[in-house]
Amino acid sequence: MKNLIIVESPAKARTITTFLGKDYKVVASKGHIRDLPAYNFGIKIDEESGDFLPQYTVPKEASATVKELKALAKDAENIFIATDEDREGEAIGFHIATAIGKEPLSLPRIVFHEITKSAINHALENPRIIDMQSVDAQQARRLLDRMVGYKLSPLLASKIQKGLSAGRVQSSTLKIVVDKEREIQAFIAEEYWSIDGVFAPDIEAALIKHKTTKIDKLTITDKQMADEIESSCMSDKYTISEIETKSKKSKTPPPFMTSTLQQSASTQLGFSPKKTMMVAQKLYEGVKTDKGVMGVITYMRTDSLNLAKEAVEKAREYINSNFGEKYLPEQPRIYTSKAKGAQEAHEAIRPTMVEFDPKTASEYLAADELKLYKLIYNRFLACQMNEAIIESQNILFEGNENTFKVNGKRLIFDGFYRVTGYTEKDKLLPKLEPKSVILLNKIVSLQHFTEPPARYNEASLIKMIESLGIGRPSTYAPTISILETRKYISFVEKRIHPDESAFLVTKMLEEHFPEIVDSSFTANMEEKLDLVASGEQNWQTILKEFYNPFMEKIAAGKENIISLKTATPTGEKCPECDSELLLRKGRFGEFIACSNFPKCKYTKNMGKTEGTEEDENKGEATDEKCDKCGADMTIKGGKRGKFLACTAYPTCKNTKSLTGAEEIKAPCPECGGKLNERLGKRGKFYGCSNYPECNFIANFEPIEHKCKECGYMMGKKILKTKEYYECYKCKHKEDIV
């Protein structure tokens, strides 16, 4: 074998193999093959210099890969490191070289932003060496994260509860979520009123001025004031005092980088950031196209808005030939990133082949791949097109004491909207003459209350942490995923809710480790890592400046932080061993436990359970009887809330929902039994109480109404725009009378 190319991903290896001849062997490291050990600190401190020495090991799951790479490396004349061109990729390349017994700086390093034949050949013709400054920046990041996680997490576990963790980026992100929830909890709704006038022929305008007072959202604070102003408006006489018509340009959007792609995919496609990156990875590493298997987008972990000159030229040619000269600016558009620490040497996310348009791609890509590719493709074309032009019209209706304003607008040139689509509707106003009299037909006054700030969703949280300079493109999605895995946050209707442990941890860190949750400290650390990557800062210096003060705080915390695990005596005796019972806090809330634990394992539930397995199985007693076998029913807690379960389980598996839903009056159409509303993995559904003997199930509410076509039972469907009845069997639809 003449040439060995080592990449991270098997998919990438397969794609690159299709471009090269028999002289090349492309293999994958399958990600990291050396890392800090999983079960100990893994960092030694040199006694003389005080330098931090990472104790890298080869994980067991990577040992076979390392063995294979070593064997291949022995027979290769040339070994190329071809990992991703970011700091993590640079570090992976360094570790690959070290693991196979090679001096890292002795191996040629090739980089590319896209996996196409021309890009790979260009990279092979222009190799460089591994960038040790980027490696050091990544090592500093890894060691900082290990220091925080390995030293601070046990302290949280000892002072609050087991299973908690802290992280340099993770904890500052969590504080952002907690602070938003604190805002919501402290919010007090304020009453306000809006007043609109309906003028002839049918023009609805908003009141903007009453006497000398400008009307904004909170000017009119109660009904009495609204009634007084309404009376004044109705008695006034109005003329058209001003008609202003002007045009404004709607700026072209920049191409995507990681954060904006995740945000747009979330709002437009409903993709989570994690899913977005998984699909983008496939598009980058190689998919089927009309020209064979290749990558159809550039590297998807980037904070740069740069675009290759050749790609821009091809985009301009495509725009000119497909849409015409009026859509093409005189000069190519150039964008620069506003993200802190953006690596401008990289490229934005763009298609690798302009001719592989969404119509062509639809024949080759899977559904989700096509959706994301179309989003990226259209955004790239749009960024090189002319602005859209929107005409706006403002009309003032002025009386002696009151002034109303109405706005109209229309799209007069679609520009880049030609490819991205224009979703807003034109609001056209009738032709009116200045200074003419206009009649006020009626007043519409409405009461409102101010709304609390909205909780973050994944997209808006990523936008926030990016704006604050917390983390980097590769860390956005994993950070949110870690918070969810650690049970710090949960998602309710796609909005992020902090759990109780999030408040406890954040409060403790704010009081004793404020820098760990301080976004400016985290952002400043990212800037220092950027300086390491540029050769302006020594990575060991950064670690020393952080570690010693941090460890002093850890030592002080062990002594001074009051444990939230402290048990409170209840004054009651244990019914099993007569020892004192204590009120404790656990992962799922408060519970009663025996002070003689672990010899005595008696516990008693306080709301959510935290006791023995036997107690959890017993649940809370009720007076209700099972309608199947007559045994007692008990209240139990599950992932979707509390429910009634038969105590004769597993002989009888009858359950009933305790969601507070109304009883379903309609009988089961199959057996005549009672129908129950339940909650499942995919939300609410309706099932027969005689299950498993009867398997009837419906995902919309059954009603006592027979289908006119087949006589079977119908259900009520509620959509955003309408409601109707639909037959479960023949799908016949009927309007609701």
Side-chain angles (χ1 to χ4, degrees):
M1 176 183 46
K2 192 173 182 180
N3 300 295
L4 176 67
I5 299 178
I6 306 175
V7 299
E8 303 108 312
S9 160
K12 187 193 293 188
R14 288 192 293 271
T15 303
I16 295 175
T17 298
T18 63
F19 304 143
L20 303 175
K22 295 179 180 179
D23 289 340
Y24 289 89
K25 171 88 174 167
V26 188
V27 293
S29 70
K30 300 171 186 174
H32 292 269
I33 60 173
R34 284 207 323 162
D35 199 0
L36 297 176
Y39 300 109
N40 59 66
F41 189 41
I43 304 173
K44 286 188 177 180
I45 302 176
D46 186 86
E47 294 182 0
E48 294 183 6
S49 65
D51 285 351
F52 296 87
L53 310 174
Q55 307 299 296
Y56 294 117
T57 61
V58 176
K60 185 177 179 181
E61 59 271 18
S63 58
T65 301
V66 172
K67 185 177 179 181
E68 178 192 7
L69 292 177
K70 282 182 176 179
L72 292 170
K74 277 186 179 181
D75 299 331
E77 293 181 23
N78 301 301
I79 304 171
F80 294 90
I81 300 296
T83 48
D84 292 336
E85 193 188 9
D86 55 19
R87 290 176 199 163
E88 187 174 14
E90 211 71 26
I92 291 174
F94 166 81
H95 288 304
I96 289 172
T98 306
I100 63 176
K102 301 293 183 180
E103 166 56 41
L105 297 181
S106 70
L107 299 183
R109 165 85 162 107
I110 62 172
V111 294
F112 38 84
H113 299 295
E114 58 187 66
I115 304 178
T116 58
K117 186 173 183 178
S118 59
I120 300 303
N121 286 331
H122 182 268
L124 287 168
E125 292 167 4
N126 299 274
R128 60 171 174 82
I129 61 172
I130 287 176
D131 181 1
M132 286 305 300
Q133 292 172 353
S134 291
V135 173
D136 288 343
Q138 187 64 25
Q139 287 194 110
R141 173 190 290 279
R142 184 73 185 95
L143 267 62
L144 281 167
D145 290 341
R146 173 54 64 99
M147 290 171 182
V148 174
Y150 205 87
K151 298 297 183 181
L152 186 52
S153 297
L155 182 63
L156 295 177
S158 67
K159 298 295 183 178
I160 302 177
Q161 67 186 40
K162 290 181 180 180
L164 297 179
S165 71
R168 190 176 53 86
V169 175
Q170 166 193 324
S171 297
S172 55
T173 303
L174 182 62
K175 177 173 164 56
I176 293 171
V177 176
V178 169
D179 283 346
K180 178 67 72 175
E181 197 68 22
R182 288 168 174 166
E183 281 184 60
I184 294 170
Q185 291 174 352
F187 175 80
I188 299 174
E190 295 183 61
E191 179 185 3
Y192 69 96
W193 289 71
S194 64
I195 295 180
D196 292 337
V198 181
F199 292 82
D202 190 21
I203 306 171
E204 188 170 326
L207 179 69
I208 62 167
K209 187 177 179 182
H210 173 63
K211 296 181 180 178
T212 59
T213 304
K214 289 184 179 180
I215 306 297
D216 59 25
K217 184 175 180 179
L218 297 177
T219 302
I220 308 172
T221 57
D222 55 48
K223 189 176 188 305
Q224 181 180 347
M225 186 184 298
D227 289 342
E228 291 173 0
I229 295 175
E230 182 177 342
S231 177
S232 169
C233 290
M234 288 302 298
S235 62
D236 223 340
K237 305 296 181 183
Y238 298 91
T239 58
I240 299 170
S241 64
E242 183 180 336
I243 299 178
E244 180 187 42
T245 302
K246 59 183 179 181
S247 298
K248 67 174 183 178
K249 292 182 178 180
S250 182
K251 287 185 178 180
T252 54
F256 282 129
M257 53 185 178
T258 302
S259 59
T260 52
L261 176 63
Q262 291 174 348
Q263 291 160 33
S264 294
S266 175
T267 55
Q268 296 183 43
L269 305 178
F271 287 6
S272 69
K274 184 177 180 180
K275 179 176 180 178
T276 298
M277 297 312 288
M278 288 175 62
V279 177
Q281 184 93 25
K282 293 179 183 177
L283 296 174
Y284 167 69
E285 291 183 340
V287 291
K288 288 182 179 179
T289 73
D290 54 337
K291 297 179 181 179
V293 176
M294 65 180 65
V296 293
I297 65 168
T298 53
Y299 190 51
M300 64 286 160
R301 293 187 181 90
T302 177
D303 49 15
S304 171
L305 294 179
N306 279 348
L307 292 169
K309 184 178 179 181
E310 297 80 6
V312 171
E313 289 174 354
K314 288 182 178 179
R316 287 174 60 81
E317 291 172 6
Y318 185 93
I319 293 165
N320 190 40
S321 61
N322 286 272
F323 306 118
E325 288 185 4
K326 66 179 181 178
Y327 288 92
L328 190 66
E330 290 184 8
Q331 298 295 326
R333 298 197 180 280
I334 299 173
Y335 299 89
T336 55
S337 175
K338 296 180 181 179
K340 294 183 179 180
Q343 301 178 59
E344 293 294 353
H346 294 174
E347 266 203 87
I349 305 169
R350 61 166 175 83
T352 59
M353 303 175 291
V354 174
E355 61 273 22
F356 190 65
D357 56 29
K359 184 178 179 181
T360 306
S362 64
E363 299 179 21
Y364 299 93
L365 302 183
D368 286 343
E369 293 170 355
L370 181 62
K371 288 177 183 177
L372 192 65
Y373 180 73
K374 186 177 180 181
L375 195 68
I376 294 168
Y377 185 95
N378 288 344
R379 183 66 167 252
F380 171 62
L381 279 189
C383 84
Q384 293 302 318
M385 296 176 75
N386 271 323
E387 295 108 330
I389 301 176
I390 297 172
E391 181 184 82
S392 64
Q393 192 176 45
N394 297 323
I395 303 178
L396 296 183
F397 304 139
E398 192 167 354
N400 294 324
E401 293 187 335
N402 305 284
T403 303
F404 289 82
K405 182 178 181 180
V406 62
N407 307 105
K409 67 174 183 177
R410 66 187 180 99
L411 183 69
I412 57 177
F413 175 62
D414 56 358
F416 68 89
Y417 287 128
R418 180 72 179 272
V419 293
T420 63
Y422 184 69
T423 56
E424 296 184 41
K425 291 184 178 179
D426 288 347
K427 182 182 178 183
L428 302 176
L429 299 177
K431 289 186 178 181
L432 300 171
E433 292 296 326
K435 308 303 180 184
S436 61
V437 174
I438 190 163
L439 180 66
L440 175 65
N441 289 333
K442 66 176 181 178
I443 287 289
V444 178
S445 58
L446 296 173
Q447 181 188 40
H448 310 273
F449 291 92
T450 54
E451 297 285 340
R455 292 182 176 88
Y456 292 107
N457 56 24
E458 288 183 277
S460 59
L461 180 57
I462 285 173
K463 185 176 182 179
M464 175 58 74
I465 62 180
E466 180 201 22
S467 69
L468 294 172
I470 299 173
R472 285 297 180 259
S474 60
T475 66
Y476 298 149
T479 297
I480 296 174
S481 181
I482 287 171
L483 292 177
E484 184 181 16
T485 301
R486 295 290 186 181
K487 308 292 186 186
Y488 284 132
I489 62 172
S490 56
F491 288 88
V492 179
E493 297 180 348
K494 296 187 177 181
R495 292 286 171 176
I496 299 174
H497 291 245
D499 292 349
E500 185 61 31
S501 60
F503 288 93
L504 295 174
V505 168
T506 300
K507 183 180 179 182
M508 181 176 288
L509 294 179
E510 285 173 332
E511 293 176 357
H512 302 280
F513 299 89
E515 70 280 2
I516 298 299
V517 289
D518 182 0
S519 59
S520 61
F521 174 86
T522 307
N524 181 255
M525 186 62 74
E526 294 292 347
E527 291 173 5
K528 288 182 178 180
L529 294 174
D530 292 340
L531 293 176
V532 174
S534 63
E536 301 173 62
Q537 177 77 61
N538 180 274
W539 69 294
Q540 290 288 348
T541 302
I542 291 177
L543 296 175
K544 290 172 187 176
E545 289 175 350
F546 174 79
Y547 184 75
N548 294 327
F550 176 67
M551 289 308 296
E552 289 175 4
K553 288 187 175 183
I554 291 288
K558 290 178 180 178
E559 296 294 326
N560 302 327
I561 297 176
I562 299 173
S563 175
L564 297 180
K565 287 185 172 182
T566 304
T568 305
T570 63
E572 299 178 15
K573 296 294 183 180
C574 174
E576 295 187 4
C577 71
D578 206 37
S579 298
E580 187 171 22
L581 291 178
L582 304 174
L583 177 65
R584 294 185 179 274
K585 286 185 178 180
R587 186 174 180 183
F588 301 105
E590 294 183 335
F591 66 101
I592 301 292
C594 181
S595 60
N596 196 26
F597 180 84
K599 290 183 179 179
C600 177
K601 297 182 179 180
Y602 173 81
T603 61
K604 186 168 68 171
N605 302 326
M606 296 281 289
K608 288 187 177 180
T609 61
E610 175 81 9
T612 64
E613 184 177 350
E614 182 182 359
D615 282 333
E616 291 178 358
N617 287 335
K618 287 178 181 177
E620 299 177 27
T622 69
D623 295 331
E624 189 160 344
K625 300 294 183 181
C626 176
D627 53 16
K628 285 190 177 182
C629 70
D632 291 335
M633 298 289 278
T634 183
I635 298 175
K636 291 193 174 185
K639 291 181 179 179
R640 299 172 187 88
K642 291 186 176 183
F643 63 95
L644 283 172
C646 181
T647 55
Y649 179 88
T651 305
C652 178
K653 297 180 180 179
N654 187 26
T655 61
K656 288 184 180 179
S657 172
L658 284 176
T659 59
E662 295 181 8
E663 181 181 336
I664 306 302
K665 295 180 180 179
C668 174
E670 296 292 333
C671 70
K674 184 179 177 182
L675 293 178
N676 294 327
E677 179 185 297
R678 301 179 184 275
L679 281 174
K681 290 181 179 179
R682 295 176 180 83
K684 188 188 295 184
F685 71 96
Y686 303 87
C688 182
S689 59
N690 290 329
Y691 176 85
E693 288 78 15
C694 178
N695 291 320
F696 175 78
I697 191 170
N699 60 5
F700 50 98
E701 184 181 356
I703 59 169
E704 291 182 298
H705 188 78
K706 300 294 183 182
C707 176
K708 294 178 182 178
E709 296 292 325
C710 69
Y712 200 74
M713 189 171 73
M714 304 189 80
K716 184 178 182 181
K717 270 201 169 181
I718 302 175
L719 303 180
K720 288 184 178 179
T721 56
K722 64 177 181 177
E723 299 180 7
Y724 59 89
Y725 296 147
E726 181 176 306
C727 177
Y728 291 116
K729 183 174 286 186
C730 72
K731 305 301 179 184
H732 170 69
K733 297 179 178 62
E734 294 179 16
D735 292 332
I736 297 176
V737 180

